Amino acid sequence: VGIACHNCYNTDSWDQATNLQETEQVLLAAMNLGADLLELDIKVQDGDWYVEHDDIGGTHGAYLSDVLSLAVLQQADQPLFIEVKERNPTEGQLFQLIEMLVASGYAVNGRPVVLRTFQTRLDNFDYAKLAIQEYPFHRHYFHFHVIFNTDERDDIEDFQYLLTEAKAAGYQGVEFGLKTPNLFSLLHKAQDLELGTAVWTVPVTMGEIYCAGLREEVDVLI
């Protein structure tokens, strides 16, 4: 099982430069502790992509372009595990994002990029999949994961149908909240569909219990 560093960045300061510096330290600490995947949450505001946890208008997070250029990240080999938080994406914004990732040296052999977004924000994927067609030598190193809320569907058959739709759309993985009802049934359905699986977010307190129970069941623990 791969371990993803959850929120592997800093946005606590109102100063962008400070957030960039502290993000570098968070990434370095995660690598030193053995993280297999490095999670960045991103959104676009006034034409710029930011590393931010929510798409609520904030602009004090570090510019994504600056984070991607950090030497500590450039020299690492962990795949990027990027959650696209943008609620109202445009085709141009996603073309800009894909271009930035490719130009920064990611989405190559040995350094794939996993783009992730919630079921309600799949427009991000529609535009990203269009954009990667412009990069034939990189497009196979982009992967797409759909994130589901714990209450995405009340009926288990309806929830399972969403997994079938994800497979049909060409996505490679699905991610479930730790407290999702019928979690193991959904995991097994996803595996039957040959989708990658992830579970979020394992807590610090008593987290080892969840790790022990899930490490044989999923591909990624967040």
Side-chain angles (χ1 to χ4, degrees):
V1 62
I3 302 299
C5 169
H6 183 232
N7 295 351
C8 211
Y9 55 87
N10 184 74
T11 58
D12 292 340
S13 173
W14 288 101
D15 179 67
Q16 204 172 64
T18 299
N19 283 326
L20 177 63
Q21 183 178 26
E22 294 184 357
T23 291
E24 182 177 27
Q25 297 305 310
V26 173
L27 288 165
L28 181 59
M31 294 174 199
N32 288 338
L33 287 169
D36 302 296
L37 298 149
L38 305 172
E39 181 188 67
L40 299 173
D41 295 336
I42 64 171
K43 62 95 179 206
V44 65
Q45 188 78 26
D46 298 326
D48 291 308
W49 284 94
Y50 293 87
V51 176
E52 289 272 3
H53 188 261
D54 294 301
D55 182 19
I56 54 175
T59 57
H60 61 278
Y63 287 120
L64 175 61
S65 57
D66 289 341
V67 173
L68 295 176
S69 297
L70 288 170
V72 65
L73 201 55
Q74 288 277 327
Q75 295 165 10
D77 60 4
Q78 286 89 344
L80 297 183
F81 208 52
I82 296 178
E83 182 178 343
V84 186
K85 296 279 192 176
E86 182 57 40
R87 295 177 184 272
N88 298 293
T90 67
E91 183 176 333
Q93 290 165 346
L94 269 297
F95 270 75
Q96 178 190 12
L97 173 62
I98 298 303
E99 181 182 30
M100 186 189 313
L101 287 163
V102 170
S104 298
Y106 302 96
V108 293
N109 188 23
R111 201 75 191 276
V113 173
V114 182
L115 295 177
R116 308 152 61 234
T117 200
F118 275 92
Q119 166 72 17
T120 54
R121 306 181 193 182
L122 289 177
D123 285 352
N124 287 293
F125 282 0
D126 293 338
Y127 296 136
K129 287 173 78 70
L130 284 175
I132 64 174
Q133 299 307 311
E134 301 293 321
Y135 299 93
F137 297 110
H138 299 268
R139 65 185 183 187
H140 298 296
Y141 301 107
F142 283 101
H143 303 277
F144 297 86
H145 281 202
V146 183
I147 307 172
F148 296 106
N149 283 306
T150 56
D151 59 350
E152 197 73 53
R153 290 291 188 275
D154 293 330
D155 183 272
I156 183 63
E157 290 186 359
D158 289 345
F159 208 148
Q160 289 179 335
Y161 182 70
L162 293 180
L163 309 186
T164 303
E165 286 189 321
K167 177 67 175 183
Y171 306 144
Q172 286 80 26
V174 288
E175 304 182 17
F176 304 104
L178 186 62
K179 298 180 180 180
T180 301
N182 300 302
L183 175 61
F184 284 90
S185 175
L186 293 166
L187 287 171
H188 293 158
K189 175 65 174 180
Q191 290 158 0
D192 287 343
L193 292 168
E194 298 184 336
L195 288 165
T197 55
V199 170
W200 54 275
T201 302
V202 176
V204 173
T205 303
M206 304 298 285
E208 61 270 23
I209 294 176
Y210 295 102
C211 290
L214 288 167
R215 64 186 179 186
E216 302 294 338
E217 303 290 336
V218 299
D219 298 302
V220 176
L221 284 171
I222 300 169

